[in-house]
Amino acid sequence: MCGIIAYIGPKDGTSIVIDGLKKLEYRGYDSWGIAVHGNPSIAVEKQVGKISDFNDLDSLPGGRIAMGHTRWATNGAVTQANAHPHTCCTGKIAVVHNGIIENFQELKTELSSHSFTSDTDTEMISHLIEENMHSGMGFEDSVRLALTRLDGRFAVVAMCSETDKVVAARKGSPLVIGQGEDEYFIASDIPAFLEHTDMAVFLEDGDVATISSKPKPNITYTDFYGNRLSRKPTAITWTVEQAGLNGHEHYMIKEILEQRHTLKDAIAHPDQRIQRIADMINDAFGTFFIGCGTAGKVAMVGSYIFSKIAKKHVNVVVGSEFPSYHDFLTDRTLLVCISQSGETADTLEAMEIAKKKGCKVVSIVNVMGSTMMRTSDDYILCNSGPEKAVCSTKVTTAQIAILTLLAYACAGRLDEGRKLLTSTANRVNIMLDEQYLSEIQFLSKKVAGYESMYIIGRSLNYPMALEGAIKMQEVPYIHAEGFAGGELKHGPIALIENGTPCIALVANDEVKNEILINALEIKSRGGYIIGISPKDNDIFDSWIPVPDLGIASPIANIIPIQLLSYYTAVEKECDPDRPRNLAKSVTVK
Ligand code: F6R
């Protein structure tokens, strides 16, 4: 995925766009670029590297209509030529784009008389618009006609030096219009313009927004065929403070520590709302929990919680594998889609498949106005505020809390669920003190010296072992693997060497003795056991205490691994907020 921001208004568009790009950098950080409107030509500046490292604003052209892009490469290598914006042959049209144009080779062949300077699908769009303008069409109509030719998922913003108009459109990739006083913003995500306005229009698939700067900035909405649409802005509840670092060195640690309150925020939904969704789950004949990556592990832990509390079987499928299950879908099937961004392409595709089969869809999602939220039959927001570090932390535990509450509601024990989760939130708040952080930081110095590590758990904490491994892979780049404790002796135990760090998730539950035996099996082969548990044990070489939370133990157990991942990354001088090769939300398949 990539980040887009554009500005049309009376202020210095260049500095607003550069600032917005910095706020969107979590969406992509291999290269960036900006286009500033001018007549007769558009000035374009592009660079390989992170926008956060760029501070020479004076070197850029100034202007009141500007657009920028921060890239996470999909089509074409990370080079200056492939960075956006892309221009047509004459340089009069500039385009930024997020997504993938599936028929780009075909269209590029059609445009063989044009000269291309990059390997991207985006550049083709600028030539396609140019081609339409050659046939006498105006800029706006040329963009719309071009859009009707594109297959795939995309968010596109185009400007032309011959008009004062900027045209934005979406099909499958997010695009939000920020509406200020006589000024407009177009962005992939709200934090890019939140300090300027909290009024936003979330474009629907097939929407085109045209913003003119004259006589004063104004906007019109149409579909791809020019039919007028009415779109009204809604007020955004996220605040600028939530979106900032607020004195922390990195977003990742800020967001981990925010779990002191986000768990409470996650369950601050009225009983009726929770019960309504719980009733949908109870009424369904076949429920699927769907998510990708960390959200997939949340789905998995949710299935254990539903089995234990609601006595309900739930199918868990990762988004990308869901197409194989389409034969089992009926109009009584319910999909519960779990996602931080609400824009993950594989999860969205699962939703589309399910909807075609007449299934109902509920989403548990953090980003307000996201595609998943808007296209589900019902939704629950995680209420965690913006999560900007690429790896998910506070939203993970918020989603587990929501699923736990739903399981209790399905069992007709909502009050009991609320009590448990309120006490969980309080105890996590107490747990996260300075002493706790410094002990985990101390441990990270040992872990940082190893290339591999393993995490074991059973039952509810098996998915947390898998999630812990994702955290240790993606941030400090340690080859970590999670296993069900019982699976170890069927192969993976061969990997244990003298000193290999192994985390054992030992909750005070019915599988406690078994997981301790598994930890002992590792220790007997030289492994170094880090126990995450309410109680210390002789088997542990290091002990990270967590509160005894019963069914909510996955929440308590994953937080110390998030911290270990963060501190190990810092120890290894890896950037915790922007891990290599990753993007915050994966809007391509
Ligand atoms: C890992 C991580 C990813 C996401 C996955 C799904 O820390 O954040 O694995 O969980 O890309 O993203 P969302 O939740 O936005 O659907």
Side-chain angles (χ1 to χ4, degrees), residues 292-295 338-342 344 390-392 470-471 474 585-586:
C292 298
T294 290
I338 300 160
S339 174
Q340 188 287 129
S341 61
T344 301
V390 162
C391 78
S392 182
I470 296 185
K471 291 285 101 62
E474 68 181 335
S585 103
V586 186

Side-chain angles (χ1 to χ4, degrees), residues 244-561:
L245 273 169
N246 301 345
H248 292 282
E249 203 177 331
H250 299 106
Y251 283 105
M252 184 173 173
I253 187 71
K254 172 190 174 240
E255 289 160 8
I256 293 173
L257 296 179
E258 280 174 344
Q259 289 169 107
R260 290 166 174 156
H261 63 82
T262 50
L263 285 164
K264 265 200 187 114
D265 302 337
I267 57 165
H269 295 284
D271 282 358
Q272 302 91 299
R273 180 166 203 102
I274 298 293
Q275 198 57 57
R276 189 171 74 221
I277 309 256
D279 291 345
M280 284 174 82
I281 299 174
N282 276 339
D283 293 346
F285 187 73
T287 300
F288 286 82
F289 284 178
I290 309 286
C292 298
T294 290
K297 305 302 173 273
V298 171
M300 205 169 159
V301 78
S303 77
Y304 279 90
I305 296 169
F306 266 72
S307 152
K308 283 176 186 289
I309 301 299
K311 310 290 175 213
K312 270 194 96 64
H313 169 74
V314 169
N315 303 284
V316 177
V317 185
V318 293
S320 54
E321 291 299 318
F322 188 72
S324 305
Y325 287 77
H326 77 278
D327 282 338
F328 307 113
L329 307 177
T330 72
D331 58 3
R332 291 195 57 199
T333 309
L334 177 72
L335 235 68
V336 178
C337 292
I338 300 160
S339 174
Q340 188 287 129
S341 61
E343 302 292 349
T344 301
D346 290 327
T347 313
L348 284 174
E349 191 192 24
M351 273 180 73
E352 278 164 28
I353 292 169
K355 288 199 142 210
K356 279 192 190 131
K357 288 276 196 160
C359 312
K360 288 260 181 302
V361 179
V362 164
S363 57
I364 299 176
V365 59
N366 189 45
V367 176
M368 188 188 172
S370 58
T371 308
M372 247 172 252
M373 180 193 124
R374 284 179 297 109
T375 54
S376 297
D377 295 289
D378 211 335
Y379 63 87
I380 302 185
L381 287 172
C382 301
N383 291 341
S384 304
E387 190 181 67
K388 292 180 103 179
V390 162
C391 78
S392 182
T393 55
K394 61 177 177 174
V395 174
T396 308
T397 51
Q399 289 165 336
I400 299 173
I402 290 168
L403 284 171
T404 309
L405 199 60
L406 284 171
Y408 274 97
C410 283
R413 293 156 58 196
L414 181 53
D415 283 351
E416 197 186 324
R418 275 203 190 282
K419 268 194 205 124
L420 168 71
L421 290 161
T422 306
S423 135
T424 301
N426 291 336
R427 297 183 70 184
V428 163
N429 185 13
I430 296 167
M431 175 178 99
L432 286 172
D433 64 10
E434 288 303 322
Q435 169 80 14
Y436 197 73
L437 304 190
S438 62
E439 276 166 21
I440 296 180
Q441 186 168 18
F442 180 75
L443 185 62
S444 73
K445 294 184 196 305
K446 175 179 172 62
V447 171
Y450 286 84
E451 276 179 12
S452 301
M453 70 180 292
Y454 304 97
I455 308 178
I456 56 167
R458 278 179 176 252
S459 183
L460 286 173
N461 282 296
Y462 163 44
M464 290 301 95
L466 301 178
E467 165 55 10
I470 296 185
K471 291 285 101 62
M472 296 307 297
Q473 291 158 2
E474 68 181 335
V475 192
Y477 312 142
I478 288 184
H479 170 231
E481 290 195 49
F483 298 108
E487 277 293 290
L488 215 68
K489 53 191 170 294
H490 298 289
I493 202 157
L495 297 167
I496 307 298
E497 289 176 0
N498 216 14
T500 309
C502 298
I503 297 179
L505 302 175
V506 186
N508 186 19
D509 59 13
E510 71 285 358
V511 292
K512 177 178 157 194
N513 290 337
E514 279 101 324
I515 194 74
L516 281 170
I517 290 169
N518 298 139
L520 193 57
E521 287 161 357
I522 298 174
K523 194 178 167 85
S524 313
R525 277 133 189 112
Y528 179 90
I529 306 295
I530 302 164
I532 296 185
S533 174
K535 271 205 177 141
D536 200 358
N537 190 292
D538 286 347
I539 299 169
F540 303 157
D541 296 296
S542 282
W543 173 47
I544 304 179
V546 285
D548 185 356
L549 295 172
I551 201 84
S553 67
I555 295 177
N557 287 347
I558 196 61
I559 295 174
I561 307 184

